[in-house]
Amino acid sequence: MSLFRTIKKNAKQKVIESSKKDDSLTKDPLTGIFSEDLQKINKTFEKSSDVVIREFSIGSEEKVKAAIIYTDGLADTTSIQTFILDSLMVEAKQMDNTKENLHSRKILQWVKASLLTVGSVAEISDFDSLFTNILSGNTVIFIDGMKVAIGASTGRWEERAISEPASETVVRGPRESFSENIRKNTALIRRKIKDSNLLCEQKEIGRITKTCVAVMYINGIVNEKVVEEVHTRLDRIDIDGILESGNIEELIQDETFTPFPTIYNTERPDVIAAGLLEGRVAILIDGTPFVLIVPSLFIQNFQVPEDYYQRADISTFLRMLRIVCFLISLLGPSFYIAATTYHQEMLPTPLLVSLAAQREGVPFPAFVEALIMEITFEILREAGIRMPRAVGQTVSIVGALVLGQAAVEAGIVSASMVIVVSITAISNFVFPAYNMAISIRMLRFGMMMLAASFGLYGITIGLLALLLHLNSLRSFGIPYMAPFSPFIKDDIKDTIFRFPLKFLGTRPRLISQKNSKRNHTPATSKPEPRE
């Protein structure tokens, strides 16, 4: 054992030393010697044909060597030609070409202040920042004798236009969704919240991908402890690459081994804006249209933005419908198995006789029958998603109808089981949150096994275990089942029921613990009648 531990320790030490060595190579400062710095850049990108290095001279009499480096396809070549090359190669001839000015820091300040007409510029002092700027679409400007380079914002690449959300459609409400460009996404949020207290803090995550991640919140409303916890968990991430918000979600969630999502994700700007106004924190990741929002509560998965765009009575009815569909999706097959296997006395006699007649030729018990149908439907659903869009939906619907009818005629399953599984599957589509729908689909099989083993007693045990698990969950320190557990009377107004907006005067208490008042309209105010 001691030999194994020694080998493991030495291997770990080698990995750490190798990592430090790699970091030291890229974090070397610029030397200021034009030929040496440019040679290192050429060596780094010698097999990258899309990285362009253009050398030229500044000045007319005492000429100074200079170069620009950018990535073709990520940088806007028109902006580079108009706002950088023309300025440096043509307008620079008008400067005071004395040797003192050209070979001192004055030329760097003069280029930044007077020549470059791009949106933003920044000084770069090490190779790590230099490579990041080049591969992010910026243009890096080198000047001989300067230990600092200039990074000019010239990034521009093809991107998807703002379109209607694909996974969160509404009948009434905004029809815009986030795109893969993080800067466009932050602009969509600022378009809805025009307040200087809306802060956007940005960082890079991923040793290789260097993915841009932004944390947005409203100062004065948000709980500072939640913001601090978000930054702590993000800074703790040390991984090669972040390609989608799901990577961040998995790395910062409170509980790993739980089927329930403790971080909410959406592609709708209005949902993020509403969450920020409640005191939540949004996490935006470059390269994905899905934005994370924390803390997330259980009841949040049954709410849609459209609930706040129509009358309170309609919204309340639809929310209650979603709760009923949640119970059907979770317990529908389980109750059928328990009733037909252990508790026949609970069924009316005509219904019991009808079910017995249908199951007369079925060779399998109710649990196996339900398991066959559920697995078949899951296969059809997954096939419909993965197949080409033109035929996927048709194949899944036709496949379900044909297979269901053929299974009944062949005597493999009963007609009543087909009805139960179909209603269960349709109820699962009612959930607004796709992550929650997947969780219920997995838990359904566990409840079916408990019902087949112990009947209604098994279902009761499963529900109690599920309730205990839900009450043990936290989302960035906030109880997952709030405001039911702990019970908060004022926050119940916007859970299963949705009170009229004039009665929703306060923010969720556990999420925003200061500046809790958000609606200043008197609850008893009525419009004055016309004379």
Side-chain angles (χ1 to χ4, degrees):
M1 285 295 290
S2 59
L3 178 62
F4 175 74
R5 289 177 182 174
T6 304
I7 295 173
K8 187 176 180 181
K9 184 178 180 181
N10 291 338
K12 186 176 181 181
Q13 186 66 28
K14 287 181 180 179
V15 171
I16 295 173
E17 290 176 358
S18 175
S19 175
K20 289 181 178 179
K21 186 178 180 182
D22 293 341
D23 290 344
S24 64
L25 289 175
T26 56
K27 291 185 179 180
D28 287 341
L30 300 178
T31 63
I33 303 174
F34 185 79
S35 57
E36 290 185 8
D37 290 342
L38 208 60
Q39 183 180 1
K40 184 170 184 177
I41 296 171
N42 274 307
K43 186 177 180 181
T44 303
F45 295 113
E46 63 181 350
K47 294 185 179 181
S48 299
S49 58
D50 55 343
V51 176
V52 179
I53 301 176
R54 170 78 160 84
E55 297 184 47
F56 56 93
S57 299
I58 298 178
S60 56
E61 298 175 4
E62 292 286 341
K63 294 185 178 181
V64 175
K65 292 181 180 179
I68 63 168
I69 305 105
Y70 63 91
T71 304
D72 190 17
L74 294 181
D76 185 7
T77 54
T78 304
S79 298
I80 294 172
Q81 178 66 38
T82 306
F83 304 122
I84 297 179
L85 286 177
D86 285 352
S87 300
L88 294 176
M89 298 177 69
V90 178
E91 297 181 19
K93 293 180 180 180
Q94 301 174 5
M95 70 173 290
D96 184 8
N97 293 327
T98 62
K99 189 173 183 179
E100 179 184 356
N101 287 339
L102 288 174
H103 294 281
S104 67
R105 190 172 174 83
K106 291 181 180 180
I107 187 174
L108 187 70
Q109 300 299 333
W110 180 73
V111 168
K112 287 175 57 179
S114 303
L115 289 185
L116 297 180
T117 55
V118 293
S120 63
V121 293
E123 292 188 1
I124 302 170
S125 58
D126 60 85
F127 282 99
D128 184 37
S129 301
L130 183 140
F131 295 149
T132 302
N133 271 268
I134 294 172
L135 298 174
S136 298
N138 295 337
T139 299
V140 174
I141 303 166
F142 260 104
I143 301 175
D144 188 16
M146 298 292 107
K147 293 185 178 181
V148 176
I150 301 175
S153 60
T154 55
R156 183 181 180 184
W157 49 84
E158 296 297 326
E159 59 189 26
R160 184 170 60 91
I162 297 174
S163 58
E164 186 174 349
S167 60
E168 299 174 82
T169 57
V170 294
V171 177
R172 180 176 181 178
R175 301 301 176 90
E176 59 187 5
S177 67
F178 290 119
S179 68
E180 286 74 15
N181 188 331
I182 189 173
R183 194 52 59 222
K184 184 180 291 186
N185 295 342
T186 56
L188 287 172
I189 297 174
R190 288 198 178 274
R191 180 183 173 189
K192 294 186 177 296
I193 303 178
K194 304 176 181 67
D195 189 82
S196 58
N197 290 317
L198 176 60
L199 306 182
C200 179
E201 301 176 359
Q202 191 167 302
K203 58 184 65 183
E204 289 181 353
I205 300 179
R207 289 192 173 195
I208 297 176
T209 60
K210 301 186 187 307
T211 306
C212 181
V213 177
V215 178
M216 297 189 74
Y217 58 91
I218 300 178
N219 190 30
I221 295 178
V222 72
N223 187 344
E224 287 85 357
K225 292 182 179 179
V226 175
V227 178
E228 183 180 349
E229 182 65 22
V230 170
H231 282 294
T232 301
R233 296 189 188 185
L234 290 175
D235 293 337
R236 198 184 300 149
I237 297 174
D238 188 8
I239 194 171
D240 283 345
I242 297 294
L243 301 177
E244 213 276 334
S245 59
N247 301 143
I248 296 288
E249 180 179 353
E250 189 173 350
L251 291 168
I252 68 172
Q253 62 186 354
D254 289 69
E255 295 288 340
T256 302
F257 301 105
T258 177
F260 296 99
T262 55
I263 297 177
Y264 194 79
N265 67 84
T266 179
E267 57 177 337
R268 296 185 60 92
D270 55 335
V271 174
I272 297 298
L276 293 174
L277 290 171
E278 286 184 343
R280 290 182 165 91
V281 180
I283 305 172
L284 297 86
I285 297 91
D286 192 25
T288 174
F290 289 91
V291 176
L292 307 178
I293 189 164
V294 295
S296 173
L297 306 181
F298 176 77
I299 194 62
Q300 189 177 352
N301 295 282
F302 299 93
Q303 300 172 351
V304 297
E306 199 172 3
D307 290 345
Y308 303 94
Y309 304 149
Q310 33 189 20
R311 296 201 319 269
D313 52 351
I314 298 175
S315 301
T316 299
F317 168 75
L318 293 177
R319 284 188 181 182
M320 295 177 68
L321 180 64
R322 295 184 202 116
I323 298 296
V324 172
C325 290
F326 164 74
L327 297 175
I328 293 174
S329 179
L330 179 64
L331 303 174
S334 306
F335 271 115
Y336 178 83
I337 294 170
T340 55
T341 306
Y342 295 99
H343 310 283
Q344 294 91 345
E345 68 279 0
M346 296 179 60
L347 301 175
T349 303
L351 178 60
L352 184 60
V353 172
S354 175
L355 293 176
Q358 293 177 30
R359 291 185 47 78
E360 185 177 359
V362 177
F364 304 110
F367 171 69
V368 177
E369 189 182 356
L371 195 62
I372 292 172
M373 289 301 299
E374 284 289 344
I375 293 176
T376 303
F377 198 89
E378 291 297 328
I379 293 172
L380 288 170
R381 177 167 15 202
E382 191 67 14
I385 295 174
R386 305 305 166 197
M387 290 183 70
R389 190 180 298 271
V391 296
Q393 187 175 4
T394 304
V395 168
S396 60
I397 294 173
V398 174
L401 292 174
V402 172
L403 286 176
Q405 183 66 27
V408 172
E409 292 180 356
I412 299 175
V413 297
S414 61
S416 56
M417 179 59 73
V418 175
I419 295 173
V420 171
V421 172
S422 300
I423 293 176
T424 302
I426 293 171
S427 299
N428 195 259
F429 287 115
V430 176
F431 294 124
Y434 182 70
N435 285 359
M436 179 61 72
I438 296 177
S439 302
I440 301 306
R441 284 160 57 184
M442 293 190 300
L443 292 171
R444 187 189 306 150
F445 289 97
M447 299 301 293
M448 286 166 54
M449 287 188 283
L450 288 172
S453 303
F454 308 104
L456 291 179
Y457 299 104
I459 294 176
T460 304
I461 292 171
L463 289 176
L464 288 175
L466 202 60
L467 192 60
L468 289 173
H469 175 69
L470 285 169
N471 278 279
S472 69
L473 295 178
R474 295 287 185 274
S475 178
F476 285 79
I478 306 299
Y480 192 54
M481 290 301 292
F484 303 107
S485 176
F487 182 77
I488 304 173
K489 181 180 177 181
D490 291 338
D491 293 351
I492 294 294
K493 299 176 183 178
D494 190 18
T495 52
I496 299 176
F497 308 96
R498 205 276 277 174
F499 280 35
L501 290 177
K502 61 183 178 181
F503 294 106
L504 302 179
T506 57
R507 297 182 176 88
R509 197 176 76 183
L510 291 179
I511 296 176
S512 179
Q513 298 178 354
K514 60 180 182 179
N515 192 9
S516 60
K517 194 169 183 178
R518 61 176 174 180
N519 189 354
H520 303 276
T521 304
T524 57
S525 63
K526 293 182 180 180
E528 296 182 0
R530 293 184 178 180
E531 295 181 358

